[in-house]
Amino acid sequence: MHIVVCAKQTPSTTAVLAVQDGKVTWSDPGGSPDIANPWDEYAIEEAIRLKEQHGGTVTVISMGPDDAREALKTAIAMGCDEAVLISDDAMRGSDTLATSYVLSKAIEKLGDVDLVIFGRQAIDGDTGQTSIQTARRLGWTAFSFVSAIEELDVENRSITVTRAVEAGKLKAKAPLPAALSVLKDINEPRYPSFKGIRKATKYMSSDLRTWTAGDLAADIEKVGTAGSRIRWPEVYALPPKEGECTMVEGETPEAAAAALVDKLFEEKVI
Amino acid sequence: MSSIWVWVEQNDGAIQAISSEALGAGRALADALGTGLGALVFGQDIASVAQQVIQSGADTVYLCDHETLAEFRAEPYATLLSKLAGEHKPSAILAGATTSGRDVLSLAAVDLEAGLVPDCTALTVVDGQIKATRPVYAGKLISNILAEGEPMLLSLRSRAFPPAALDSARTGSVIAVEPAMAASEISVTLLGLEATEGAVSLTDAAIIVSGGRGVGGPEGFEPVRELAATLGAAMGASRAAVDAGWIPYAYQVGQTGKTVSPDLYIAGGISGAIQHLAGMRTSKVIVAINKDPEAPIFKLAHYGIVGDLFKIVPALTAEFRKRL
């Protein structure tokens, strides 16, 4: 089995964001401002578990600027075998259409891939569509919102998953190769071991490969802004909430509850 | 200007609420652009849906009634949508930002080399071009998005747009179309749905009652559940309560859970971590019940009660029972 995880570096979940002229910057007074996208840890964990069960290799790939290495480092520290950073100035400004093109070219270059796993979405762009689009470009089946892998049948080359959809839990099967995007309830990601972190530090400084658009033999018209079909000229912070919180009080819990219910009827939300 | 299209989700012959919202939004765009509204209805035994869709604002319905489309699968649905769009060249295609709508539009965007904007919360027309508004960075920021080329694909967040106004006198045309994939070409086999019974869906709910770390344990959700049941509300939870194992992940509201926008959000024992606030801040009215008067949730809330949720929440349930 060759399993690929597509991961992304994102701002930390506690990052304080600032935006000026449509450009977003961030800092995190409490810790590292850049992290592996939290959803991707579930994808990495699932890939490692499948490898432990079926044997094979796990390769993690990440598209981003040259210094976007947190996701790859985390993946190696957790137990992935290989990591590739896909980075090229020509890829800047990519929307998901362009990103999926680049990722599909990288997966084709890896050559013998059976399964690609994504986290549900990245916590910056929040689109959740790159997994499906990458699979479509490869001509593979994509399963989104996967909450469990029921069976990976290596011999008969098929995968059976449970997806969490609005109506409940939907079980479905497709042939390999396939792509998945996974939810939080699929597993509990492991913490990297001390040994894993040391291995990752060494790997990042000496073994990490970087692929450019040229290495992927990518059509330059399909990457970056040239290959993108949407633009986001305006980004801004939500205006702060107007008005104070009205504190509702009462002599007893019952009196406070009655006063609050009065307010809610006045608001016509009941 | 070529027409606006909506992919309509139906279940057993009834239009889904989110699709009614998409038809309403599509009609508004079509009117602003001076063009027509097309609707795509796929499934089996769905002839009755076409009239509902016309009454909801569609001028033309492309209806594919076929056994390969009886149960939703993204592959044959998206392939048909892409084929029809390639033939008729709509300027935009709308769908609900449901698990199905996201899949269909993601596949079609690749087929059509089209720009795709998920989770739209507002759509406007500026100089004859559609401008989509959507939250990014877990709702901490808002982004306005334009597309280059057509069609522009847009998925709409639940409850962000009013449902379509029904007009039983409206007329429109229904065009029967053939499926784009044969049964043997479809790679996915469905193996059964284990339906969630009874529970109100968080993303569709008009009222949500949530519990957090303050509920103290799995049994602490009982008063929350009772208040939710009394109000016909959905129940939610903060990540702290989910991570503690008190309630399943499906109930989680926030950055790595569900994003919700009800008319009323009641938070009991939730301090208001930024990740939780990101998932519910667009609620119309927010009520916080917390024993800590300094809890950050009070900064976002419209109404607050400082006190013990195990006393306040049952008292609220009793009061609502008296008055509803």
Side-chain angles (χ1 to χ4, degrees), chain B residues 75-93:
Chain B
E75 205 183 357
Y77 273 63
T79 304
L80 177 55
L81 181 145
S82 299
K83 179 172 175 274
L84 293 170
E87 289 166 6
H88 299 277
K89 312 276 184 212
S91 57
I93 307 175

mmCIF file with all atom_site columns, all heavy atoms in Angstrom, chain B residues 75-93:
data_model
loop_
_atom_site.group_PDB
_atom_site.id
_atom_site.type_symbol
_atom_site.label_atom_id
_atom_site.label_alt_id
_atom_site.label_comp_id
_atom_site.label_asym_id
_atom_site.label_entity_id
_atom_site.label_seq_id
_atom_site.pdbx_PDB_ins_code
_atom_site.Cartn_x
_atom_site.Cartn_y
_atom_site.Cartn_z
_atom_site.occupancy
_atom_site.B_iso_or_equiv
_atom_site.pdbx_formal_charge
_atom_site.auth_seq_id
_atom_site.auth_comp_id
_atom_site.auth_asym_id
_atom_site.auth_atom_id
_atom_site.pdbx_PDB_model_num
ATOM 1   N N   . GLU B 1 75 ? -21.252 11.195 -8.014  1.00 0.00 ? 75 GLU B N   1
ATOM 2   C CA  . GLU B 1 75 ? -20.669 10.953 -9.337  1.00 0.00 ? 75 GLU B CA  1
ATOM 3   C C   . GLU B 1 75 ? -21.694 11.117 -10.481 1.00 0.00 ? 75 GLU B C   1
ATOM 4   O O   . GLU B 1 75 ? -21.488 11.962 -11.368 1.00 0.00 ? 75 GLU B O   1
ATOM 5   C CB  . GLU B 1 75 ? -20.103 9.536  -9.283  1.00 0.00 ? 75 GLU B CB  1
ATOM 6   C CG  . GLU B 1 75 ? -19.002 9.207  -10.212 1.00 0.00 ? 75 GLU B CG  1
ATOM 7   C CD  . GLU B 1 75 ? -18.621 7.721  -10.041 1.00 0.00 ? 75 GLU B CD  1
ATOM 8   O OE1 . GLU B 1 75 ? -19.187 7.022  -9.159  1.00 0.00 ? 75 GLU B OE1 1
ATOM 9   O OE2 . GLU B 1 75 ? -17.781 7.267  -10.801 1.00 0.00 ? 75 GLU B OE2 1
ATOM 10  N N   . PRO B 1 76 ? -22.788 10.343 -10.507 1.00 0.00 ? 76 PRO B N   1
ATOM 11  C CA  . PRO B 1 76 ? -23.734 10.520 -11.617 1.00 0.00 ? 76 PRO B CA  1
ATOM 12  C C   . PRO B 1 76 ? -24.466 11.863 -11.585 1.00 0.00 ? 76 PRO B C   1
ATOM 13  O O   . PRO B 1 76 ? -24.784 12.426 -12.639 1.00 0.00 ? 76 PRO B O   1
ATOM 14  C CB  . PRO B 1 76 ? -24.724 9.360  -11.438 1.00 0.00 ? 76 PRO B CB  1
ATOM 15  C CG  . PRO B 1 76 ? -24.581 8.918  -10.023 1.00 0.00 ? 76 PRO B CG  1
ATOM 16  C CD  . PRO B 1 76 ? -23.159 9.215  -9.631  1.00 0.00 ? 76 PRO B CD  1
ATOM 17  N N   . TYR B 1 77 ? -24.706 12.396 -10.378 1.00 0.00 ? 77 TYR B N   1
ATOM 18  C CA  . TYR B 1 77 ? -25.378 13.690 -10.282 1.00 0.00 ? 77 TYR B CA  1
ATOM 19  C C   . TYR B 1 77 ? -24.493 14.801 -10.866 1.00 0.00 ? 77 TYR B C   1
ATOM 20  O O   . TYR B 1 77 ? -24.932 15.618 -11.663 1.00 0.00 ? 77 TYR B O   1
ATOM 21  C CB  . TYR B 1 77 ? -25.711 14.010 -8.816  1.00 0.00 ? 77 TYR B CB  1
ATOM 22  C CG  . TYR B 1 77 ? -27.026 13.457 -8.321  1.00 0.00 ? 77 TYR B CG  1
ATOM 23  C CD1 . TYR B 1 77 ? -27.258 12.076 -8.264  1.00 0.00 ? 77 TYR B CD1 1
ATOM 24  C CD2 . TYR B 1 77 ? -28.037 14.299 -7.896  1.00 0.00 ? 77 TYR B CD2 1
ATOM 25  C CE1 . TYR B 1 77 ? -28.460 11.577 -7.790  1.00 0.00 ? 77 TYR B CE1 1
ATOM 26  C CE2 . TYR B 1 77 ? -29.250 13.806 -7.419  1.00 0.00 ? 77 TYR B CE2 1
ATOM 27  C CZ  . TYR B 1 77 ? -29.454 12.448 -7.366  1.00 0.00 ? 77 TYR B CZ  1
ATOM 28  O OH  . TYR B 1 77 ? -30.648 11.962 -6.904  1.00 0.00 ? 77 TYR B OH  1
ATOM 29  N N   . ALA B 1 78 ? -23.228 14.813 -10.433 1.00 0.00 ? 78 ALA B N   1
ATOM 30  C CA  . ALA B 1 78 ? -22.327 15.891 -10.876 1.00 0.00 ? 78 ALA B CA  1
ATOM 31  C C   . ALA B 1 78 ? -22.036 15.770 -12.372 1.00 0.00 ? 78 ALA B C   1
ATOM 32  O O   . ALA B 1 78 ? -21.949 16.781 -13.079 1.00 0.00 ? 78 ALA B O   1
ATOM 33  C CB  . ALA B 1 78 ? -21.026 15.848 -10.076 1.00 0.00 ? 78 ALA B CB  1
ATOM 34  N N   . THR B 1 79 ? -21.888 14.545 -12.856 1.00 0.00 ? 79 THR B N   1
ATOM 35  C CA  . THR B 1 79 ? -21.574 14.353 -14.273 1.00 0.00 ? 79 THR B CA  1
ATOM 36  C C   . THR B 1 79 ? -22.721 14.864 -15.139 1.00 0.00 ? 79 THR B C   1
ATOM 37  O O   . THR B 1 79 ? -22.497 15.520 -16.174 1.00 0.00 ? 79 THR B O   1
ATOM 38  C CB  . THR B 1 79 ? -21.286 12.865 -14.541 1.00 0.00 ? 79 THR B CB  1
ATOM 39  O OG1 . THR B 1 79 ? -20.236 12.448 -13.656 1.00 0.00 ? 79 THR B OG1 1
ATOM 40  C CG2 . THR B 1 79 ? -20.858 12.622 -15.980 1.00 0.00 ? 79 THR B CG2 1
ATOM 41  N N   . LEU B 1 80 ? -23.951 14.619 -14.684 1.00 0.00 ? 80 LEU B N   1
ATOM 42  C CA  . LEU B 1 80 ? -25.114 15.120 -15.420 1.00 0.00 ? 80 LEU B CA  1
ATOM 43  C C   . LEU B 1 80 ? -25.186 16.652 -15.340 1.00 0.00 ? 80 LEU B C   1
ATOM 44  O O   . LEU B 1 80 ? -25.425 17.332 -16.350 1.00 0.00 ? 80 LEU B O   1
ATOM 45  C CB  . LEU B 1 80 ? -26.392 14.480 -14.868 1.00 0.00 ? 80 LEU B CB  1
ATOM 46  C CG  . LEU B 1 80 ? -27.713 14.944 -15.485 1.00 0.00 ? 80 LEU B CG  1
ATOM 47  C CD1 . LEU B 1 80 ? -27.713 14.768 -17.001 1.00 0.00 ? 80 LEU B CD1 1
ATOM 48  C CD2 . LEU B 1 80 ? -28.887 14.188 -14.863 1.00 0.00 ? 80 LEU B CD2 1
ATOM 49  N N   . LEU B 1 81 ? -24.949 17.173 -14.146 1.00 0.00 ? 81 LEU B N   1
ATOM 50  C CA  . LEU B 1 81 ? -24.984 18.638 -13.980 1.00 0.00 ? 81 LEU B CA  1
ATOM 51  C C   . LEU B 1 81 ? -23.940 19.301 -14.894 1.00 0.00 ? 81 LEU B C   1
ATOM 52  O O   . LEU B 1 81 ? -24.227 20.283 -15.581 1.00 0.00 ? 81 LEU B O   1
ATOM 53  C CB  . LEU B 1 81 ? -24.735 18.999 -12.511 1.00 0.00 ? 81 LEU B CB  1
ATOM 54  C CG  . LEU B 1 81 ? -24.767 20.482 -12.141 1.00 0.00 ? 81 LEU B CG  1
ATOM 55  C CD1 . LEU B 1 81 ? -25.356 20.671 -10.743 1.00 0.00 ? 81 LEU B CD1 1
ATOM 56  C CD2 . LEU B 1 81 ? -23.398 21.115 -12.189 1.00 0.00 ? 81 LEU B CD2 1
ATOM 57  N N   . SER B 1 82 ? -22.731 18.726 -14.925 1.00 0.00 ? 82 SER B N   1
ATOM 58  C CA  . SER B 1 82 ? -21.665 19.307 -15.757 1.00 0.00 ? 82 SER B CA  1
ATOM 59  C C   . SER B 1 82 ? -22.043 19.239 -17.232 1.00 0.00 ? 82 SER B C   1
ATOM 60  O O   . SER B 1 82 ? -21.799 20.182 -17.998 1.00 0.00 ? 82 SER B O   1
ATOM 61  C CB  . SER B 1 82 ? -20.357 18.548 -15.548 1.00 0.00 ? 82 SER B CB  1
ATOM 62  O OG  . SER B 1 82 ? -19.946 18.631 -14.213 1.00 0.00 ? 82 SER B OG  1
ATOM 63  N N   . LYS B 1 83 ? -22.635 18.121 -17.647 1.00 0.00 ? 83 LYS B N   1
ATOM 64  C CA  . LYS B 1 83 ? -23.011 17.952 -19.054 1.00 0.00 ? 83 LYS B CA  1
ATOM 65  C C   . LYS B 1 83 ? -24.058 18.995 -19.453 1.00 0.00 ? 83 LYS B C   1
ATOM 66  O O   . LYS B 1 83 ? -23.923 19.669 -20.488 1.00 0.00 ? 83 LYS B O   1
ATOM 67  C CB  . LYS B 1 83 ? -23.569 16.530 -19.263 1.00 0.00 ? 83 LYS B CB  1
ATOM 68  C CG  . LYS B 1 83 ? -24.015 16.218 -20.665 1.00 0.00 ? 83 LYS B CG  1
ATOM 69  C CD  . LYS B 1 83 ? -24.348 14.726 -20.794 1.00 0.00 ? 83 LYS B CD  1
ATOM 70  C CE  . LYS B 1 83 ? -24.909 14.399 -22.163 1.00 0.00 ? 83 LYS B CE  1
ATOM 71  N NZ  . LYS B 1 83 ? -26.375 14.606 -22.218 1.00 0.00 ? 83 LYS B NZ  1
ATOM 72  N N   . LEU B 1 84 ? -25.070 19.169 -18.601 1.00 0.00 ? 84 LEU B N   1
ATOM 73  C CA  . LEU B 1 84 ? -26.124 20.146 -18.907 1.00 0.00 ? 84 LEU B CA  1
ATOM 74  C C   . LEU B 1 84 ? -25.563 21.567 -18.914 1.00 0.00 ? 84 LEU B C   1
ATOM 75  O O   . LEU B 1 84 ? -25.903 22.383 -19.771 1.00 0.00 ? 84 LEU B O   1
ATOM 76  C CB  . LEU B 1 84 ? -27.264 20.039 -17.881 1.00 0.00 ? 84 LEU B CB  1
ATOM 77  C CG  . LEU B 1 84 ? -28.063 18.732 -17.933 1.00 0.00 ? 84 LEU B CG  1
ATOM 78  C CD1 . LEU B 1 84 ? -28.996 18.641 -16.726 1.00 0.00 ? 84 LEU B CD1 1
ATOM 79  C CD2 . LEU B 1 84 ? -28.870 18.636 -19.231 1.00 0.00 ? 84 LEU B CD2 1
ATOM 80  N N   . ALA B 1 85 ? -24.683 21.852 -17.963 1.00 0.00 ? 85 ALA B N   1
ATOM 81  C CA  . ALA B 1 85 ? -24.091 23.199 -17.897 1.00 0.00 ? 85 ALA B CA  1
ATOM 82  C C   . ALA B 1 85 ? -23.232 23.455 -19.132 1.00 0.00 ? 85 ALA B C   1
ATOM 83  O O   . ALA B 1 85 ? -23.196 24.575 -19.642 1.00 0.00 ? 85 ALA B O   1
ATOM 84  C CB  . ALA B 1 85 ? -23.279 23.353 -16.620 1.00 0.00 ? 85 ALA B CB  1
ATOM 85  N N   . GLY B 1 86 ? -22.542 22.421 -19.599 1.00 0.00 ? 86 GLY B N   1
ATOM 86  C CA  . GLY B 1 86 ? -21.727 22.567 -20.804 1.00 0.00 ? 86 GLY B CA  1
ATOM 87  C C   . GLY B 1 86 ? -22.587 22.882 -22.024 1.00 0.00 ? 86 GLY B C   1
ATOM 88  O O   . GLY B 1 86 ? -22.181 23.647 -22.911 1.00 0.00 ? 86 GLY B O   1
ATOM 89  N N   . GLU B 1 87 ? -23.799 22.337 -22.053 1.00 0.00 ? 87 GLU B N   1
ATOM 90  C CA  . GLU B 1 87 ? -24.696 22.562 -23.195 1.00 0.00 ? 87 GLU B CA  1
ATOM 91  C C   . GLU B 1 87 ? -25.394 23.922 -23.123 1.00 0.00 ? 87 GLU B C   1
ATOM 92  O O   . GLU B 1 87 ? -25.553 24.604 -24.127 1.00 0.00 ? 87 GLU B O   1
ATOM 93  C CB  . GLU B 1 87 ? -25.772 21.456 -23.229 1.00 0.00 ? 87 GLU B CB  1
ATOM 94  C CG  . GLU B 1 87 ? -25.222 20.097 -23.640 1.00 0.00 ? 87 GLU B CG  1
ATOM 95  C CD  . GLU B 1 87 ? -26.198 18.950 -23.333 1.00 0.00 ? 87 GLU B CD  1
ATOM 96  O OE1 . GLU B 1 87 ? -27.350 19.217 -22.913 1.00 0.00 ? 87 GLU B OE1 1
ATOM 97  O OE2 . GLU B 1 87 ? -25.788 17.786 -23.492 1.00 0.00 ? 87 GLU B OE2 1
ATOM 98  N N   . HIS B 1 88 ? -25.827 24.301 -21.921 1.00 0.00 ? 88 HIS B N   1
ATOM 99  C CA  . HIS B 1 88 ? -26.696 25.483 -21.799 1.00 0.00 ? 88 HIS B CA  1
ATOM 100 C C   . HIS B 1 88 ? -25.991 26.726 -21.274 1.00 0.00 ? 88 HIS B C   1
ATOM 101 O O   . HIS B 1 88 ? -26.583 27.804 -21.273 1.00 0.00 ? 88 HIS B O   1
ATOM 102 C CB  . HIS B 1 88 ? -27.900 25.156 -20.904 1.00 0.00 ? 88 HIS B CB  1
ATOM 103 C CG  . HIS B 1 88 ? -28.758 24.052 -21.438 1.00 0.00 ? 88 HIS B CG  1
ATOM 104 N ND1 . HIS B 1 88 ? -29.732 24.261 -22.374 1.00 0.00 ? 88 HIS B ND1 1
ATOM 105 C CD2 . HIS B 1 88 ? -28.762 22.720 -21.201 1.00 0.00 ? 88 HIS B CD2 1
ATOM 106 C CE1 . HIS B 1 88 ? -30.326 23.112 -22.676 1.00 0.00 ? 88 HIS B CE1 1
ATOM 107 N NE2 . HIS B 1 88 ? -29.737 22.149 -21.976 1.00 0.00 ? 88 HIS B NE2 1
ATOM 108 N N   . LYS B 1 89 ? -24.763 26.584 -20.775 1.00 0.00 ? 89 LYS B N   1
ATOM 109 C CA  . LYS B 1 89 ? -23.934 27.719 -20.348 1.00 0.00 ? 89 LYS B CA  1
ATOM 110 C C   . LYS B 1 89 ? -24.624 28.687 -19.377 1.00 0.00 ? 89 LYS B C   1
ATOM 111 O O   . LYS B 1 89 ? -24.767 29.885 -19.674 1.00 0.00 ? 89 LYS B O   1
ATOM 112 C CB  . LYS B 1 89 ? -23.475 28.541 -21.583 1.00 0.00 ? 89 LYS B CB  1
ATOM 113 C CG  . LYS B 1 89 ? -22.897 27.706 -22.718 1.00 0.00 ? 89 LYS B CG  1
ATOM 114 C CD  . LYS B 1 89 ? -21.461 27.403 -22.497 1.00 0.00 ? 89 LYS B CD  1
ATOM 115 C CE  . LYS B 1 89 ? -20.848 26.649 -23.680 1.00 0.00 ? 89 LYS B CE  1
ATOM 116 N NZ  . LYS B 1 89 ? -19.791 25.740 -23.277 1.00 0.00 ? 89 LYS B NZ  1
ATOM 117 N N   . PRO B 1 90 ? -25.053 28.203 -18.220 1.00 0.00 ? 90 PRO B N   1
ATOM 118 C CA  . PRO B 1 90 ? -25.578 29.147 -17.218 1.00 0.00 ? 90 PRO B CA  1
ATOM 119 C C   . PRO B 1 90 ? -24.443 30.026 -16.703 1.00 0.00 ? 90 PRO B C   1
ATOM 120 O O   . PRO B 1 90 ? -23.270 29.656 -16.802 1.00 0.00 ? 90 PRO B O   1
ATOM 121 C CB  . PRO B 1 90 ? -26.094 28.228 -16.104 1.00 0.00 ? 90 PRO B CB  1
ATOM 122 C CG  . PRO B 1 90 ? -25.245 26.996 -16.223 1.00 0.00 ? 90 PRO B CG  1
ATOM 123 C CD  . PRO B 1 90 ? -24.971 26.837 -17.700 1.00 0.00 ? 90 PRO B CD  1
ATOM 124 N N   . SER B 1 91 ? -24.791 31.201 -16.148 1.00 0.00 ? 91 SER B N   1
ATOM 125 C CA  . SER B 1 91 ? -23.739 32.072 -15.635 1.00 0.00 ? 91 SER B CA  1
ATOM 126 C C   . SER B 1 91 ? -23.368 31.715 -14.200 1.00 0.00 ? 91 SER B C   1
ATOM 127 O O   . SER B 1 91 ? -22.260 32.027 -13.759 1.00 0.00 ? 91 SER B O   1
ATOM 128 C CB  . SER B 1 91 ? -24.145 33.539 -15.753 1.00 0.00 ? 91 SER B CB  1
ATOM 129 O OG  . SER B 1 91 ? -25.352 33.752 -15.077 1.00 0.00 ? 91 SER B OG  1
ATOM 130 N N   . ALA B 1 92 ? -24.301 31.087 -13.471 1.00 0.00 ? 92 ALA B N   1
ATOM 131 C CA  . ALA B 1 92 ? -23.981 30.658 -12.105 1.00 0.00 ? 92 ALA B CA  1
ATOM 132 C C   . ALA B 1 92 ? -24.822 29.435 -11.756 1.00 0.00 ? 92 ALA B C   1
ATOM 133 O O   . ALA B 1 92 ? -25.926 29.258 -12.279 1.00 0.00 ? 92 ALA B O   1
ATOM 134 C CB  . ALA B 1 92 ? -24.261 31.778 -11.106 1.00 0.00 ? 92 ALA B CB  1
ATOM 135 N N   . ILE B 1 93 ? -24.282 28.581 -10.889 1.00 0.00 ? 93 ILE B N   1
ATOM 136 C CA  . ILE B 1 93 ? -25.024 27.416 -10.409 1.00 0.00 ? 93 ILE B CA  1
ATOM 137 C C   . ILE B 1 93 ? -24.960 27.415 -8.884  1.00 0.00 ? 93 ILE B C   1
ATOM 138 O O   . ILE B 1 93 ? -23.884 27.437 -8.296  1.00 0.00 ? 93 ILE B O   1
ATOM 139 C CB  . ILE B 1 93 ? -24.446 26.091 -10.958 1.00 0.00 ? 93 ILE B CB  1
ATOM 140 C CG1 . ILE B 1 93 ? -24.326 26.141 -12.486 1.00 0.00 ? 93 ILE B CG1 1
ATOM 141 C CG2 . ILE B 1 93 ? -25.320 24.911 -10.516 1.00 0.00 ? 93 ILE B CG2 1
ATOM 142 C CD1 . ILE B 1 93 ? -23.658 24.913 -13.102 1.00 0.00 ? 93 ILE B CD1 1
#
